[in-house]
Amino acid sequence: MLGKHIRLMLIATAAGALAVAVIAAGSAGAKPSATPTIGVSFDLLNQIRKAELTGIKQYAAKKHVKILFSVANNDANQQSQQIQNFISQHVTGVIAIAQNGDQIVSSIRAANRAGIPFATIDRAPGKGGKVVAQVTGNALGDGSKVANYMCSLRKPLNVLLMVGALTDANAIGRRDGFLSAAKSCSSIKVVQQLPTNWDPTTALNGVTNAFQAHPEIDAIFDPSDYLLPAVVSALKATQHFYPVGNAKHVTIVTIDGDNNGCYALRTKWIDADVATQVGEFGPSAIDAILANKAAKVVKVPGLTLSQQNYKATHSSVWGCAYGPNGFKK
Amino acid sequence: MSATFTGATRRYTGTLGEVLLRNTVLIAAAVVFVAFSLASSKFASGSNLRNIAIQGSGSAVMAVGMTFVIITAGIDLSIGAILFLSTAGVAELFVHGLPVVWAPLVAVLFGLGLGALNGASIAFVGINPLIVTLATLNLYRGVGGHLTGFSTVYLPPGMTKFGTGTVASIPAPIVVAAVVALVGGVVLRRTVFGRHVQAIGANAEAARNLGLPVRRVLVGVYAISGLTAAFAGLIENGRLGALQPTVGLGEELTVITAVVLGGTSLFGGKGSILGSLFGVALLQMVANGLVLAHISPYVFDMLRASVLIVAVLIGTSRARGLRAVPIVRRGRLEVGP
């Protein structure tokens, strides 16, 4: 029995040593290649991330840049290891969507020490490291566009203000942008704020409860298209679901411009969607890495897609390229 | 009843301490109910109580399965992922031509199988339940994500009936939760399997020495947990009308909290389905009441965390306190756990 354990330990040790030797040899032999190579690390892979990746790949092909891609599956430690692997391979630069804005700072510092330019997209990093670019949507601006759209309807609205996760800068930015713009619009009255933690079930229950407390709600600011199925289900459950054009319709304005939002606009469930132009994130980050100059902060403004401009504008919105279940049309 | 004690174990000699310790979740639920009823006139209305019941149905169904698991001194962290994967698997089969009428049955069988896989890994391979279900949490969610492409999948009407339908004017989620809880209660209290579950939780080694089929019972317990997670998936995804990649994420913690609040010991051996249902009701009332009472959104998480801490404190103090409380049951004197 003991002999068997010792044999197993010896085999494991030998395998481990071999793996370390191979990695070390690979690392020592790796040199910067002639073709610029950018390591791309995403926090997760969903519809919006696929659109962001497409933007990166298309622009990289145009610039003759090779892309190495990894996904951290919502795990900040895994993302740190993946970025370390890019650094070990002496990539030309790193583009990351941080799983955690603060935890990614150690990876940025490691890239800084190795002289590798680092760019973050979609989510801003915490303070500490140096990035050549920080490309995000404009959360405050998008939130204020939602309020401006509601204000443009020129009718009194009792608004249910849904909030994403209270620890997420995008969620807070969208809410604060909305509240700030709503202050200067006398027709908007926020009757309830509802934290959802970006969770569809929490959103479904919360919206149902909010209608219980405030039957007078006649407008909803949904901070993400991802929560739209929950909003629609809650409206159906509380007998408040009527399409755009019906006198009893509850005004709904969302943010993102994903396939859910585009589908909801087509089927007249919602009034407008402020689309984040995610396809522009990658090109700005790649340009910054190749130029490797002083840091720049790029805030890509959202594009308001509404029932009024849908025909003319929907082709510019990334989510409209997909069917309602996320399959490419 | 007044119990008498001698020696160092005398800690709760009156009835009040004992009653409080044995019914903490009921008392807490009553306090929360009264507090929110005072804070909002709409809280105690019939339609809102119906809302609370519907919203808590999914968690209640999962709490039934989790009660079995925790009574065996185990844990199942994968229920949220099973909730997601069981519906994702069916949605994938539906795309490939599965008639929608078979969808609920197939989803439930998926859940049963995924739970049994957990149980087999624990019982026959001997891996710790925490490790097994932590691993399968990631595995099942990853497989589900692969099947759906991490996209929102709108479900056909036939698959949403468990969430939005009615049975004799009673919302289907409430009916499903009631039936699952009733069956769970009967299995736990009135069957040989249920007694084996409690015996294994109280002392697995002694149960093994007595010749009880410990491994088979453990596989059965985790299969039940998977089964109830799949039922919860039918309810929650049905209510949403769509399958979303984060559905059920973190739900295992809510369910475990409810079960512990309801008096099931994390150390195994004791617990009740009814207690777990009260635990779910308490948590759901808090979630609902916070919205109706206009509590600041920043307080939501603090209050939820406080409930969790209180649950743990209750569990610990109950275990300590009741150890010294005699119980007159079936005509003989026993010492409480």
Side-chain angles (χ1 to χ4, degrees):
Chain A
M1 191 69 180
L2 193 62
K4 188 182 169 187
H5 279 144
I6 291 171
R7 269 205 307 279
L8 275 174
M9 282 172 65
L10 282 174
I11 290 167
T13 308
L18 186 66
V20 170
V22 168
I23 291 165
S27 176
K31 286 178 183 170
S33 68
T35 308
T37 303
I38 293 178
V40 177
S41 170
F42 277 13
D43 52 347
L44 54 93
L45 198 57
N46 57 14
Q47 210 65 54
I48 195 165
R49 295 289 182 264
K50 285 179 189 170
E52 287 168 325
L53 182 61
T54 302
I56 290 172
K57 282 183 173 172
Q58 284 175 350
Y59 193 72
K62 202 183 286 180
K63 290 281 181 178
H64 306 292
V65 172
K66 188 179 164 191
I67 295 294
L68 300 175
F69 179 62
S70 65
V71 184
N73 292 325
N74 291 311
D75 183 343
N77 291 326
Q78 197 177 334
Q79 183 166 47
S80 166
Q81 289 163 15
Q82 288 168 347
I83 293 171
Q84 189 55 51
N85 289 342
F86 290 149
I87 294 170
S88 302
Q89 293 175 62
H90 303 289
V91 292
T92 312
V94 175
I95 298 174
I97 299 179
Q99 164 62 27
N100 181 301
D102 292 320
Q103 285 191 35
I104 204 163
V105 172
S106 61
S107 297
I108 296 172
R109 283 180 177 150
N112 292 161
R113 284 194 297 274
I116 294 172
F118 200 108
T120 55
I121 63 173
D122 201 285
R123 189 170 289 136
K127 288 176 184 170
K130 285 181 188 168
V131 292
V132 291
Q134 179 188 312
V135 191
T136 61
N138 189 341
L140 274 168
D142 291 352
S144 74
K145 280 188 176 186
V146 172
N148 291 338
Y149 178 84
M150 286 186 175
C151 200
S152 75
L153 297 175
R154 299 183 186 284
K155 59 178 180 181
L157 293 174
N158 295 306
V159 180
L160 168 61
L161 172 52
M162 295 168 68
V163 188
L166 294 170
T167 52
D168 180 7
N170 279 341
I172 299 303
R174 289 171 184 187
R175 180 198 63 180
D176 291 350
F178 180 89
L179 287 172
S180 171
K183 265 185 196 168
S184 55
C185 179
S186 58
S187 62
I188 294 178
K189 180 185 173 194
V190 176
V191 295
Q192 176 106 46
Q193 277 194 43
L194 181 72
T196 65
N197 210 22
W198 299 125
D199 173 48
T201 309
T202 307
L204 168 60
N205 294 343
V207 174
T208 310
N209 295 338
F211 271 98
Q212 186 73 39
H214 297 283
E216 74 275 18
I217 289 170
D218 51 16
I220 298 176
F221 168 28
D222 169 4
S224 169
D225 288 344
Y226 183 68
L227 301 177
L228 260 178
V231 171
V232 170
S233 293
L235 289 174
K236 284 179 178 171
T238 55
Q239 279 83 49
H240 285 90
F241 183 66
Y242 299 95
V244 175
N246 187 302
K248 293 180 182 174
H249 169 69
V250 172
T251 300
I252 305 171
V253 184
T254 72
I255 292 181
D256 276 348
D258 78 2
N259 53 311
N260 285 321
C262 209
Y263 175 68
L265 266 166
R266 267 205 311 277
T267 49
K268 301 199 181 298
W269 291 357
I270 66 170
D271 300 76
D273 190 343
V274 178
T276 310
Q277 304 200 70
V278 294
E280 294 184 18
F281 291 0
S284 298
I286 291 172
D287 282 341
I289 284 172
L290 296 178
N292 195 9
K293 288 182 180 168
K296 61 174 181 177
V297 175
V298 181
K299 293 199 171 183
V300 181
L303 176 69
T304 304
L305 182 65
S306 66
Q307 293 292 344
Q308 292 77 25
N309 69 2
Y310 180 82
K311 276 186 184 166
T313 314
H314 80 278
S315 59
S316 307
V317 173
W318 65 273
C320 295
Y322 297 87
N325 283 344
F327 302 112
K328 199 94 176 173
K329 283 202 286 191
Chain B
M1 187 188 84
S2 179
T4 54
F5 286 80
T6 56
T9 58
R10 181 183 298 163
R11 289 163 71 187
Y12 296 95
T13 54
T15 55
L16 186 61
E18 187 181 335
V19 168
L20 283 173
L21 278 173
R22 291 199 186 285
N23 300 289
T24 39
V25 69
L26 258 177
I27 293 161
V31 169
V32 165
F33 183 85
V34 171
F36 281 125
S37 299
L38 292 173
S40 166
S41 59
K42 288 167 182 161
F43 180 79
S45 68
S47 60
N48 191 51
L49 295 179
R50 184 174 174 271
N51 274 346
I52 291 173
I54 293 172
Q55 290 167 9
S57 296
S59 298
V61 168
M62 284 192 284
V64 172
M66 188 64 80
T67 305
F68 277 87
V69 170
I70 295 182
I71 286 177
T72 65
I75 200 92
D76 188 352
L77 300 178
S78 69
I79 52 170
I82 294 177
L83 182 158
F84 171 52
L85 177 55
S86 55
T87 309
V90 171
E92 179 69 8
L93 289 176
F94 177 73
V95 170
H96 288 92
L98 175 80
V100 72
V101 68
W102 289 102
L105 179 66
V106 176
V108 167
L109 290 175
F110 264 141
L112 192 74
L114 296 170
L117 184 64
N118 282 342
S121 305
I122 292 159
F124 290 100
V125 186
I127 310 172
N128 185 298
L130 188 79
I131 305 297
V132 168
T133 56
L134 186 62
T136 52
L137 178 160
N138 289 302
L139 176 70
Y140 296 162
R141 194 162 284 282
V143 173
H146 179 74
L147 289 174
T148 60
F150 289 103
S151 299
T152 298
V153 178
Y154 288 91
L155 299 174
M159 277 185 70
T160 60
K161 284 180 181 163
F162 280 82
T164 56
T166 55
V167 179
S169 301
I170 303 169
I174 298 175
V175 175
V176 175
V179 170
V180 170
L182 192 67
V183 171
V186 169
V187 170
L188 186 62
R189 293 285 169 220
R190 305 277 178 209
T191 66
V192 174
F193 176 81
R195 282 193 284 276
H196 285 174
V197 168
Q198 293 172 67
I200 290 168
N203 190 334
E205 197 55 44
R208 204 169 284 122
N209 291 337
L210 281 169
L212 301 189
V214 175
R215 288 176 171 174
R216 281 214 311 271
V217 171
L218 283 179
V219 173
V221 161
Y222 284 88
I224 288 172
S225 182
L227 180 81
T228 53
F231 268 119
L234 289 171
I235 292 173
E236 296 205 356
N237 296 315
R239 288 182 60 223
L240 280 167
L243 177 66
Q244 298 197 265
T246 55
V247 73
L249 198 67
E251 192 134 348
E252 56 279 355
L253 295 181
T254 305
V255 172
I256 291 167
T257 305
V259 172
V260 174
L261 265 172
T264 300
S265 167
L266 279 168
F267 303 105
K270 70 177 284 283
S272 78
I273 303 290
L274 191 63
S276 299
L277 295 184
F278 278 119
V280 170
L282 174 59
L283 293 180
Q284 209 57 54
M285 281 197 291
V286 171
N288 174 280
L290 287 170
V291 176
L292 267 65
H294 274 270
I295 308 288
S296 159
Y298 288 99
V299 178
F300 275 41
D301 286 338
M302 282 172 8
L303 272 175
R304 285 198 196 108
S306 303
V307 170
L308 179 61
I309 292 167
V310 169
V312 173
L313 287 176
I314 286 170
T316 311
S317 62
R318 181 165 37 207
R320 283 183 191 149
L322 288 181
R323 215 168 280 141
V325 177
I327 310 162
V328 178
R329 196 186 290 160
R330 294 182 194 134
R332 60 197 165 95
L333 189 69
E334 297 174 353
V335 177

